[in-house]
Amino acid sequence: MSIEDKLAELGVTLPNAPAPAANYVPFVQIGDIVYISGQISNDANGLIVGKLGDTMELDAGVAAARSCAISLLAQVKAACGGDIGRLERVIKLTAFVNSTDDFTDQPKVVNGASDFLVEVLGDAGRHTRSAVSAASLPLGVAVEIEGIFQVK
């Protein structure tokens, strides 16, 4: 099953790749490796804001991380000239979770992204990762994730 078919089966349509909000590029490709800048949590209703351990529950954080993974795939698609089928595998995610000092479930939050990528890509979605706490994130978003991908 193609990546597009799997996304459709899950009811996911990749949005247009988000434009950079400052002085950086959304991705850089070196050989068959694509580095994607941090993607902040958002959905069709706008930014997903909140602080885990304070104003946001774990399930909402998981959904926020999933939204970051969808934006990452949108950026990979843009990097591949609109052909997401060129994606070979996810190499690494680095995730930042807007959370309180005593919140320790950052890995559970980031599973929202990791589980989604494995669901869409199978073994090619399995990746290394870091999941760390941040005292705050841009615009008050709940999660920001950057990624490294291999493409054809």
Side-chain angles (χ1 to χ4, degrees):
M1 179 179 293
S2 75
I3 295 170
E4 293 279 5
D5 289 343
K6 185 62 180 181
L7 288 167
E9 180 181 283
L10 296 171
V12 174
T13 301
L14 293 181
N16 291 328
N23 188 17
Y24 64 91
V25 295
F27 59 82
V28 170
Q29 183 171 350
I30 300 172
D32 65 345
I33 305 298
V34 176
Y35 299 83
I36 305 291
S37 292
Q39 301 296 299
I40 59 176
S41 52
N42 68 79
D43 60 19
N45 298 316
L47 297 176
I48 301 172
V49 299
K51 184 176 280 290
L52 278 294
D54 183 16
T55 62
M56 181 175 269
E57 297 294 324
L58 180 62
D59 288 345
V62 169
R66 183 180 188 272
S67 79
C68 293
I70 291 169
S71 292
L72 285 166
L73 289 181
Q75 291 290 1
V76 171
K77 183 176 179 177
C80 291
D83 182 5
I84 191 71
R86 290 182 46 209
L87 176 56
E88 285 283 314
R89 75 165 298 128
V90 183
I91 297 171
K92 181 168 194 255
L93 300 181
T94 302
F96 304 92
V97 179
N98 186 353
S99 53
T100 60
D101 289 345
D102 60 346
F103 183 83
T104 59
D105 283 336
Q106 290 82 4
K108 290 179 183 177
V109 170
V110 180
N111 280 345
S114 296
D115 293 348
F116 174 75
L117 291 169
V118 171
E119 187 175 14
V120 172
L121 303 168
D123 283 339
R126 297 193 185 285
H127 51 272
T128 63
R129 77 171 198 200
S130 299
V132 298
S133 178
S136 69
L137 289 173
L139 307 172
V141 297
V143 181
E144 180 175 357
I145 305 177
E146 64 183 28
I148 305 171
F149 299 82
Q150 182 182 25
V151 298
K152 298 178 200 174

